[in-house]
Amino acid sequence: MSESALLVLSGQGTSIALERVPHGLPLWRHFGALIQNTAEVWPLAGMRPLPPNALDGDPALDVLPTHGLGWFGQPALLGSRDHGEDWAQQFELTAVEQSGAGLQLSLQDKVAGLSLTLRYAIDAASDVLTTSVEIQNLGSTPFRLDWLAAATVPLPPEASQVIGLAGRWTLEFQQSRERLGVATWKRESRRGRNAHDSFPGVIVGSTLADDDGAVWGAQLAWSGNHTMLIEPLTDGRRQLQLGEWFAPGEVVLAPNERYRTPDAHLTFSAAGLNGMSANFHRFVRSAVLRWPGGTMAPRPVHLNTWEAVYFQHDIEGLKALASAGAEVGVERFVLDDGWFHRRDNDKAALGDWWPDERKYPQGLKPLTDHVRSLGLQFGLWVEPEMINPDSELYRAHPDWALRMAGRPLVIGRNQLVLDISRPEVTQYLFEKLDALLREYPIAYFKWDMNRDLATAALGADHRGRAAYRRHSLALYGLLARIREAHPSVEIESCSSGGARVDTAILRHTQRVWTSDCNDALSRISIQSGFLRFLPPEIMGAHIGPAHSHTTGRTHSLAFRASVAMFGHLGLELDVRELDAAARSELAAWIASYKAWRDVVHNGRIRQGTQGGLSWLQATAEDGNAALYGLYRRHEEIERYTPGLRLHGLDPARRYGVQALHLPPVPHSQSTTALLQSLADGSLVLSGAQLRDIGLPLPPLPPESAVVIGLRALP
Ligand code: GLA
């Protein structure tokens, strides 16, 4: 096809191609593998014979399909005015601007009085395509917007398998594989956060294999409600749309007003699921995360007080906990819930962000002094968006909570949600947090959000409109304001675990709390789903108590540590209770994490499963080192653990291979010299051997793990 008829954007391994047509909007021709020769892309317009019983000019998928004039699939835009026919739209292309890897299309519908700006950009380093759409109401009456897809892209017929992420509290990021059929596949969140049950990301492919085959991934940069859908088209392809879900009447554009969708990030890889994840990880690392000072410092080992003491804060006990943590290698002490004014349980006090005068008669200083004297950073838990009806703040400002006229208050965990879109509310929160940051050496906030939104805002001009969208925008504004005033502070996004994890909140935060579940067995699948989209250095991963508080299962320290060390490591157990042997074992695991975090947090992640085994491999970008974690989730009938092949190493180099720990095996088994050498570090294998023959593995009883480090020999 002639260059002028085709609009192409390419990265290193992916391209999108749009076909310009004489009338109407550019048609979608391609989103997938790199187009080497644009002349080989045949034109769709004029090549599609009109099937019987179709409207004349049966439209193909264009960049922004709209309803009313012949497109019967899912529209990318839905909206209307009180009177008239503007629910049916037909846009024309008014301008095209292309510069390097960016493309901007301007569209206008003079009859409906609407204009649109579509933006596409491919980040060449990661092959991630970012798209967004902006609409402006050019009419003289309000335009009610019901849906505007941030991305509308085609998928080829062979992309017939989908992975969506489902879950619940303490079991987030569960990958559910389904076959796409004639029905529309759709996942939504209407909880005001992306929620435990619906991370805003989806994966599509033909086989969805670990390392081979075409895979498309998409994620929406938005922390509120969302819709993701995949709809079969009449020509055998499918369209994928992602965008913000609106409550009825939530977005009404006044004359001239604009709405811009969140960004959608999409990627294609010919190297299977792990290729797709590598693209996303590279993109998040380079284009999303904003570290204090510009670069990521080594991710410090946390000690979080929650499962160690819950609400029982006693200053001497906490000092002893910090000291015990420091002795085993902890680097940041995070004081969780329970520290502020009359907070003895989860029934009261949210909103009153000053230290509890009974538990901390001299404020937090004696504790922060102690923590700092140990050489540890200090972090503090807050949940600013929330208010308990039993709080000083509520008694002073009951009208600051979101509520609906004539309806009962919708309570969750005894709390209501503040209307943070009101400037006086964010001003109050900013002042309280700013005062804490000024008074204490706080390096880190754990910023929690523990309930779904279910409410509207009545105040001022909101007139009872749903508050979801405004809430997310106000949250980003408040986070940005705090980081601007205190650029060195890091913030963790927590939402009863991983209910608010996305690439928008990650522009303001440096870690997410993946799940309230610290059970290592559950964590294997939780972390696997997470790592499909986001890199390990921001994935909070804690070694919890031996007896899990959320599942009741009991696991060895080695198993818990083996799973946690592939994220941003923390402890969430009472170190004071451990005996000397357990403390020294814990200290050894923390030392291993410190020795390997550079590889895990900057490296390329591969993951996979094989029967009852799951594995993770982090490989340094230069191929000089790799850390390999193998987990046996349940037993199988095979007598031997199969050797596993490692990719990504230099085939010509030789690697020293050493297990950080080998699990004890019930009933004595004889061991081989090979396994002995794995344990003592004398095993040397070439990259080619590791790739083609594999790594010999020890026997693994159920719910045990082995972690193996490989370093290239000089
Ligand atoms: C949420 C968080 C936990 C903990 C508690 C405190 O559940 O996810 O980690 O901070 O709140 O109340």
Side-chain angles (χ1 to χ4, degrees), residues 169 306 311 336-337 343 381 413 446 448 450 494-497 513 516 572:
W169 178 68
W306 182 237
F311 293 103
D336 209 286
D337 198 354
R343 179 74 165 174
W381 181 95
R413 207 194 187 201
K446 175 178 176 181
D448 213 337
N450 277 315
C494 172
S495 186
S496 314
W513 182 221
D516 275 354
E572 194 166 334

